[in-house]
Amino acid sequence: MATAVAPTRSVAKEKPKTFSYSSDDIKRMLPHRWPMLMIDRAYDVVPGVSGRGIKSVSVNEPFFAGHYPDHSIMPGVMIVEAMAQLVAVVYVAELLEAPAPAEDTPADPSASVGYLGSISSMKFSRLVVPGDQLTLEAKLGQKLGGLRSVSVRASVGTELAAAGSLIVTTERKG
């Protein structure tokens, strides 16, 4: 005897809307300026959740003049800074792309960018040199009061250059 089975409906998971930001957009989103503005473009940004970014590494970067002048390598702290700036773009995007801005949303979105509070388990696995293009990734974790945990990665092509965790402040005081 055959038993009837109710047809199963596949529930398609709705893909979150993503955004891309040019270097000019990023200048409006972040308080950083040359020579400390480290990211050239952000894409696949899911506001408040995750994003990817690009940092094109040029021999003209000011740190190359003094960081191993005979063997130019990008300092690890600058790679971390680039990843932290992508994190800021992801959480500022949440303010900018919200359907209805909150009453306390600042007129200047860059004013909401906080500080890097902690670097954990950061591992560097490849030298980054002039001519490389860093692909950055950030996934925001849970909020801990005024802090936020984040997982970050930086790659050159298919090679991992750095990965670890950051804690960032979600507001600026001071």
Side-chain angles (χ1 to χ4, degrees), residues 123-127 152-163:
K123 299 213 188 268
F124 299 93
S125 48
R126 180 194 190 282
L127 296 178
V152 291
R153 296 172 50 93
S155 303
V156 176
T158 60
E159 294 180 80
L160 183 66

Side-chain angles (χ1 to χ4, degrees), residues 11-117:
V11 178
K13 199 173 187 182
E14 193 173 313
K15 196 173 183 183
K17 186 170 182 178
T18 61
F19 296 86
S20 293
Y21 300 100
S22 69
S23 59
D24 290 333
D25 295 328
I26 292 167
K27 283 190 259 185
R28 287 187 283 277
M29 297 169 86
L30 302 182
H32 307 78
R33 293 297 175 261
W34 188 90
M36 289 306 297
L37 184 60
M38 301 299 295
I39 57 176
D40 301 314
R41 185 167 55 101
Y43 62 98
D44 291 347
V45 175
V46 178
V49 177
S50 63
R52 295 176 183 260
I54 297 292
K55 164 63 178 150
S56 296
V57 182
S58 167
V59 72
N60 295 324
E61 309 271 358
F63 49 76
F64 284 131
H67 197 254
Y68 298 106
D70 295 332
H71 178 65
S72 300
I73 61 171
M74 185 175 184
V77 294
M78 301 307 271
I79 297 169
V80 171
E81 178 63 23
M83 292 186 287
Q85 287 181 22
L86 176 62
V87 170
V89 167
V90 172
Y91 75 75
V92 168
E94 187 173 29
L95 298 173
L96 295 176
E97 308 302 344
E103 281 183 32
D104 59 346
T105 300
D108 174 10
S110 72
S112 66
V113 174
Y115 303 112
L116 179 59

Side-chain angles (χ1 to χ4, degrees), residues 131-152:
D132 285 345
Q133 186 176 67
L134 277 174
T135 299
L136 311 167
E137 299 176 43
K139 290 183 183 173
L140 278 61
Q142 68 182 113
K143 291 180 183 177
L144 312 161
L147 303 175
R148 190 121 193 212
S149 64
V150 187
S151 295
V152 291

